[in-house]
Amino acid sequence: MRLRALHLGNVRKFAGQRASITGIGDGITVVSEANEFGKSTFFDALHALFFEKYSSAAKPVKNLQPYARGAVEVAAEIETDAGHFRVEKTFLKGSGSARVLRLPGEAVVAQDDEAERWLLDLLGSDKNGPAGLLWVRQGVTDLAVDSKVDGARQLDERRDLLSSVSGEIDAMTGGRRMDRVMKRVAEELKGLVTATGKPTGAWRTLNTDIAGMKEDLAALTAQIDRLSGALAARRQVEAQLAHLDQEEARAIRGAALAKAEVDFANAKAHAGQVDRAAQTHRLAEIEAQAARDKLDVFLAAVERLTTAQAAVTQAQDVLRDAMRETGQRDSMLTQMRATRSEAQQAVSQARADQEAARKQAEARAARVRADDLKNWLQQIEDAQKTRDAAHAKVAASSATPEWLRRVEEAQSDVAAQTATLAAHAATLRMTYDGEARALRDGSPLPGGQDLALHGAVELTLPGIGTLSLQVPEVSDTDLTRAMSTRDDLLATAAASDIQDARDLTAQRAVAEQERDTADAILTTLAPGGPDGLRAQMAAAELAAGEVNDTPLPEPEALTKTLDRAQAADIEAQATLTVAETAATQAREAAIRAQAAADAAQQALDMARAAAGAEDTREAVKTELIRANAVAADALKTTATALATLREKAPDMVTAEAEVTRARTAIRAADEQTQKARIRVAELSAEIRALSEAGIEETRDTLAGELDTARARAARFAAKAAALQRLQAALDAERTAARDTYFGPVQAELKPLLSILYDDAGLQFDSDSLLPAGLTRAETEETLDRLSGGTQEQIAILTRLAFARLFKRQGRHMPIVLDDALVYSDDGRIVRMFTALTRVAQDQQILVFTCRTMAFLSLGGTRPEVTIRDL
């Protein structure tokens, strides 16, 4: 079970409010809040949720109710192997209620008593064992409890836990009767074994005979084992052969090959269809081109006819028209070439824009990365400055706690010496009725105050005279010495007085805390040092280049622009080709017109013959245009058919591989069958050779003789062993029982103890099943003689070990610590953090603490704590 969230409604200090802790992690989770925040309220509410019945009005439940009264609501979100659940209880509202909901969706799994049974199954105990063994309340530093009932329950839980992983202890006793038994046993042993425990007399002779029989029997057994192995091997090979020879298996392999060959043939056939469709498409292309050529030839013939007719009547006009036509065609060609050049430039520009946008996007990303790294480095530099300044303050200050203690002791000494002088001085109090005042050394004495007098004192009383007093002198040497000592100590740290000394010491403590916090921040931000981050920032700034803030076009828009430019380029290329052809034809027409000026009539006749009869000319033109359109449609149809066939084409390489695999499988099965037949023949020959020797009968006879001899030897050995065990039964049993019983928890404790103490071990009390002493450097100390911090650390480490034992049983229980480690010094608390982190690798630990700075080194997850009104 793992906790994921806690929710309290109207619980103790959260009267009329809902308080929640969410985001509890798998390992260590630290809830760090100030005193009086309500951490113990969360702890007690969690305990009540799991271990108090919803209908209870017992003291632990009553203590959750605020002064304003009202129902108490407690809920926890948990994760188990079965999924995520929300367990919630309402106390002190009627008879109360309980529910278990499955998350997400909040489907009800169990209610009231069924919900209690669900929790009981989850915890695996009808006691408060896991909470008592693993949950540490605020102020608890040991494993014992004040309540006899709770103590008995926890003892039962520890006994159940340790017994389940190590077994029960057999009770052993002894005394003077045991001494007499031991003496009798020693006498009996003399006739059976030597002083070193070796057999003697008849037992030794019998052992020699047994050794010979064992050698013979081992040889026979080896032969029988060989025979048995051969029989088993033959059965196995015959079973394999039968499986290979099964008609059904052969049929399956044959069917697989046939299907693969059919699939391959279909793939080849489809490939043939694709090839034929491609050939048809090529023919359609040729026919379409021929139709276009016929139409162009006819149109040219008609044009030539018109030209020839004009040439007959006016050859020069035709030549002039031809030259004009040539000029127009050349002009159009020039225009088309310019259009093509512009289209090519548009494509190049679109590609350049796309590349520029890509580089600008990369540069902006690099700039963002550089800015992030710069901010990070600034934080690191700020932390370094803070650390260096704090370190300098610490180094420059001598106001340590030890120095302050000595100053306060010196101040106490000064106060004591001052009090001593005051106790030996005479006291004078003046009370005046009128305006006149007594004078001392020319100064008026105040009225209504006690004045301490030492030595010779002379007072002037106006209007009366002079009053002389003689007070016994008391030495102020000790006071002077005390004040000198105090002033010297104050001067060590440049303090003016005791309050200044206290302020300086507090300032030094604050500087130390600032230094440690800055070190923690530097370790977190730059564990490898800031140089690596600076190198990353330099690389990012270099990659940023000449970045600007001009809005970048959308990549999709740039792609569309490039596509349009490429389409326009293709169209311009086609138009240019047509223009080049037309220009060439026009020039040729002009040349022909110039060369055929004298033969215009012949050209006219030839043009008429080419164009055909005038009455059929329009019909021919219409037919040629129709034929050209039909050929174009046929070309589109064949292209569509070819694309469809190619899209539906099966994977011929896979089909061929499947044929190869099926053929290989049949061949491998045939080879395996042949090998199996040969192996059966070899094993049969070996079995016949071993069976004819009659080794089993010989073995059985020898085994009977050996059993008889062993039985005699066993009686000798049993008697000797029984007597030997009796000699040391009590100590052996007690030692074995203790090691077996506490072995698992000691195994879990050993690596944890080694983090705090080198070569240390815990001794457990057999009655309480709790640690009773600590051994360090071969010195054993009882637990009650250890310091409070050491006792606290051992108590928590023992709970960690118990948690590991619960996990062995499949009962994953979270560890909950409420303001623990209050007596641990700075060094020990860091090592305890290491122990907690080690266990938290596969164990959930929830820590409540008010020591924010001290627990900063623990790391872990910091959950979200929220409080809102109901």
Side-chain angles (χ1 to χ4, degrees):
M1 176 186 75
R2 285 181 169 84
L3 294 171
R4 292 303 180 211
L6 298 177
H7 306 284
L8 311 185
N10 195 45
V11 178
R12 216 140 67 194
K13 75 173 279 103
F14 302 118
Q17 295 178 314
R18 182 171 301 282
S20 300
I21 299 177
T22 57
I24 301 176
D26 286 339
I28 294 176
T29 298
V30 180
V31 180
S32 179
E33 300 290 348
N35 285 326
E36 303 301 325
F37 171 78
K39 300 183 295 300
S40 296
T41 299
F42 274 105
F43 183 97
D44 294 339
L46 179 65
H47 187 280
L49 176 67
F50 282 100
F51 301 106
E52 296 292 341
K53 192 171 182 180
Y54 66 90
S55 58
S56 173
K59 184 177 179 181
V61 174
K62 281 285 191 181
N63 286 341
L64 296 179
Q65 195 175 44
Y67 290 119
R69 303 294 182 180
V72 171
E73 299 175 2
V74 184
E77 295 175 22
I78 63 174
E79 179 183 351
T80 71
D81 292 339
H84 289 72
F85 300 91
R86 176 185 173 96
V87 181
E88 55 185 34
K89 288 184 182 181
T90 300
F91 299 101
L92 305 176
K93 181 180 181 181
S95 58
S97 63
R99 291 199 307 170
V100 178
L101 308 175
R102 181 180 292 277
L103 300 178
E106 296 192 351
V108 178
V109 176
Q111 297 189 80
D112 296 342
D113 291 342
E114 291 183 2
E116 294 288 1
R117 285 191 290 273
W118 189 91
L119 275 175
L120 184 63
D121 292 339
L122 175 67
L123 298 175
S125 172
D126 59 353
K127 311 175 181 68
N128 67 343
L133 296 185
L134 305 186
W135 296 5
V136 182
R137 293 181 181 273
Q138 184 176 2
V140 175
T141 60
D142 56 26
L143 286 161
V145 295
D146 295 334
S147 170
K148 292 183 179 180
V149 175
D150 290 343
R153 286 179 178 176
Q154 291 189 19
L155 177 60
D156 289 342
E157 183 66 24
R158 291 193 293 273
R159 181 174 289 109
D160 292 344
L161 177 62
L162 293 176
S163 296
S164 66
V165 295
S166 62
E168 293 289 352
I169 300 178
D170 293 331
M172 295 294 295
T173 59
R176 286 178 293 179
R177 182 180 178 185
M178 182 59 69
D179 294 338
R180 293 194 297 271
V181 172
M182 293 294 292
K183 183 177 180 181
R184 174 81 176 274
V185 168
E187 293 174 353
E188 290 287 338
L189 279 174
K190 287 182 180 179
L192 291 173
V193 295
T194 64
T196 59
K198 295 183 179 179
T200 185
W203 188 12
R204 182 173 59 188
T205 301
L206 181 60
N207 284 346
T208 301
D209 296 339
I210 289 174
M213 286 188 286
K214 285 172 64 177
E215 292 177 359
D216 296 340
L217 184 60
L220 292 171
T221 300
Q223 293 183 1
I224 293 172
D225 290 343
R226 181 180 171 191
L227 173 61
S228 177
L231 289 169
R234 185 173 68 178
R235 285 193 299 271
Q236 183 179 3
V237 175
E238 286 175 341
Q240 183 182 10
L241 182 60
H243 177 72
L244 291 171
D245 279 339
Q246 282 182 355
E247 188 65 28
E248 181 181 357
R250 291 181 178 276
I252 291 173
R253 291 192 290 271
L257 176 60
K259 182 180 182 305
E261 290 176 338
V262 168
D263 292 343
F264 183 57
N266 291 336
K268 291 197 292 186
H270 193 92
Q273 292 178 0
V274 173
D275 292 338
R276 289 191 294 274
Q279 185 176 9
T280 302
H281 180 59
R282 288 194 294 273
L283 290 174
E285 288 178 333
I286 294 172
E287 291 173 357
Q289 184 63 44
R292 286 194 298 272
D293 291 342
K294 286 181 180 180
L295 178 60
D296 291 342
V297 169
F298 176 79
L299 295 176
V302 172
E303 185 179 356
R304 285 196 302 274
L305 175 61
T306 302
T307 305
Q309 288 174 336
V312 170
T313 58
Q314 197 173 5
Q316 292 300 325
D317 291 341
V318 171
L319 179 60
R320 191 166 47 252
D321 291 339
M323 292 302 294
R324 186 172 59 255
E325 178 71 12
T326 300
Q328 292 175 352
R329 295 297 182 183
D330 288 340
S331 176
M332 184 179 296
L333 179 61
T334 301
Q335 182 180 356
M336 291 301 101
R337 284 173 176 167
T339 301
R340 175 71 197 290
S341 177
E342 291 175 357
Q344 288 177 327
Q345 291 177 358
V347 171
S348 299
Q349 183 61 43
R351 287 174 176 161
D353 293 343
Q354 197 174 47
E355 179 64 15
R358 184 189 64 78
K359 291 182 177 179
Q360 191 62 215
E362 290 179 350
R364 292 185 181 184
R367 184 177 66 180
V368 171
R369 174 63 177 163
D371 292 342
D372 291 343
L373 290 171
K374 184 177 180 180
N375 293 334
W376 203 346
L377 281 170
Q378 184 60 48
Q379 294 180 39
I380 293 174
E381 290 176 1
D382 293 342
Q384 286 177 330
K385 292 178 181 178
T386 301
R387 181 196 60 188
D388 295 343
H391 188 77
K393 290 180 181 178
V394 172
S397 175
S398 301
T400 64
E402 174 61 22
W403 170 81
L404 178 60
R405 183 190 61 78
R406 294 172 60 197
V407 169
E408 289 178 336
E409 288 179 352
Q411 179 64 29
S412 297
D413 192 14
V414 169
Q417 295 301 325
T418 301
T420 300
L421 284 176
H424 290 83
T427 301
L428 173 67
R429 175 186 292 267
M430 296 295 298
T431 302
Y432 298 106
D433 294 331
E435 295 297 329
R437 293 289 184 267
L439 302 177
R440 182 181 180 181
D441 297 331
S443 299
L445 293 178
Q449 295 184 8
D450 291 335
L451 302 177
L453 304 179
H454 299 278
V457 180
E458 187 172 277
L459 302 178
T460 301
L461 304 179
I464 297 175
T466 301
L467 176 64
S468 297
L469 300 175
Q470 183 65 41
V471 181
E473 287 285 353
V474 179
S475 175
D476 61 352
T477 303
D478 291 337
L479 174 60
T480 303
R481 175 191 53 75
M483 293 177 66
S484 176
T485 300
R486 179 199 62 190
D487 294 343
D488 290 344
L489 285 171
L490 289 172
T492 301
S496 59
D497 53 28
I498 185 66
Q499 184 57 45
D500 190 22
R502 294 189 180 106
D503 293 341
L504 290 174
T505 303
Q507 291 171 9
R508 189 181 193 273
V510 170
E512 290 176 340
Q513 185 175 7
E514 291 177 349
R515 178 198 62 196
D516 296 341
T517 301
D519 285 337
I521 292 173
L522 288 174
T523 302
T524 301
L525 294 179
D531 291 341
L533 295 178
R534 291 193 182 96
Q536 294 179 30
M537 187 180 72
E541 290 176 342
L542 181 63
E546 296 293 330
V547 66
N548 60 63
D549 295 327
T550 303
L552 295 178
E554 293 293 333
E556 183 177 354
L558 291 174
T559 302
K560 289 182 179 179
T561 300
L562 177 60
D563 292 341
R564 287 195 296 270
Q566 289 176 332
D569 182 43
I570 294 172
E571 183 179 358
Q573 173 63 34
T575 305
L576 177 62
T577 301
V578 173
E580 288 174 344
T581 302
T584 300
Q585 291 175 348
R587 284 192 295 273
E588 290 175 354
I591 294 172
R592 286 194 300 270
Q594 181 68 46
D598 297 335
Q601 186 62 48
Q602 182 181 359
L604 177 60
D605 294 339
M606 292 177 61
R608 285 174 176 168
E614 184 175 357
D615 56 348
T616 63
R617 198 173 296 156
E618 193 64 26
V620 170
K621 177 180 177 181
T622 301
E623 177 60 24
L624 288 175
I625 292 173
R626 186 196 64 79
N628 183 56
V630 170
D633 291 341
L635 179 61
K636 292 180 179 179
T637 301
T638 57
T640 302
L642 178 60
T644 301
L645 286 172
R646 284 175 174 169
E647 182 179 357
K648 296 181 178 180
D651 188 350
M652 186 177 296
V653 176
T654 301
E656 185 177 9
E658 184 63 18
V659 171
T660 303
R661 185 202 62 74
R663 289 173 178 168
T664 304
I666 292 175
R667 184 166 60 253
D670 292 340
E671 293 175 354
Q672 190 68 19
T673 300
Q674 183 62 25
K675 290 180 180 179
R677 288 179 178 143
I678 295 172
R679 181 58 178 161
V680 168
E682 293 174 347
L683 291 171
S684 298
E686 182 179 1
I687 290 168
R688 282 194 300 273
L690 292 172
S691 299
E692 292 172 356
I695 56 178
E696 290 182 338
E697 293 81 356
T698 305
R699 189 275 313 272
D700 292 342
T701 301
L702 183 59
E705 295 175 356
L706 180 58
D707 288 343
T708 302
R710 281 175 170 168
R712 289 183 60 202
R715 287 192 291 274
F716 283 122
K719 184 176 180 180
L723 293 171
Q724 288 171 338
R725 283 199 303 272
L726 284 174
Q727 286 183 321
L730 185 58
D731 290 339
E733 280 300 317
R734 284 180 175 173
T735 301
R738 185 176 62 251
D739 293 344
T740 301
Y741 205 64
F742 295 111
V745 70
Q746 290 281 27
E748 298 294 347
L749 270 170
K750 184 175 181 180
L752 301 178
L753 275 174
S754 65
I755 296 175
L756 267 72
Y757 318 104
D758 294 333
D759 193 22
L762 279 178
Q763 291 80 46
F764 277 76
D765 181 71
S766 300
D767 294 329
S768 66
L769 308 183
L770 293 175
L774 176 67
T775 301
R776 291 180 290 186
E778 300 182 356
T779 301
E780 183 176 338
E781 302 172 87
T782 60
L783 208 60
D784 57 359
R785 296 180 64 85
L786 299 174
S787 67
T790 302
Q791 292 184 42
E792 174 188 63
Q793 293 147 21
I794 290 174
I796 292 178
L797 293 181
T798 304
R799 282 179 165 88
L800 298 180
F802 280 143
R804 301 286 297 177
L805 296 185
F806 276 119
K807 189 174 183 298
R808 283 199 201 179
Q809 292 181 309
R811 299 163 62 189
H812 189 293
M813 296 297 300
I815 300 170
V816 184
L817 307 178
D818 182 16
D819 266 336
L821 298 173
V822 296
Y823 299 111
S824 297
D825 58 32
D826 293 343
R828 288 279 180 83
I829 200 170
V830 171
R831 291 197 287 272
M832 284 298 294
F833 288 166
T834 301
L836 288 171
T837 303
R838 172 191 170 94
V839 174
Q841 291 177 359
D842 57 358
Q843 173 72 44
Q844 189 183 46
I845 301 176
L846 178 59
V847 178
F848 293 98
T849 182
C850 62
R851 303 167 65 191
T852 302
M853 298 307 300
F855 276 70
L856 187 65
S857 300
L858 179 55
T861 301
R862 260 51 178 186
E864 182 177 1
V865 181
T866 58
I867 301 174
R868 59 183 177 82
D869 293 335
L870 287 173

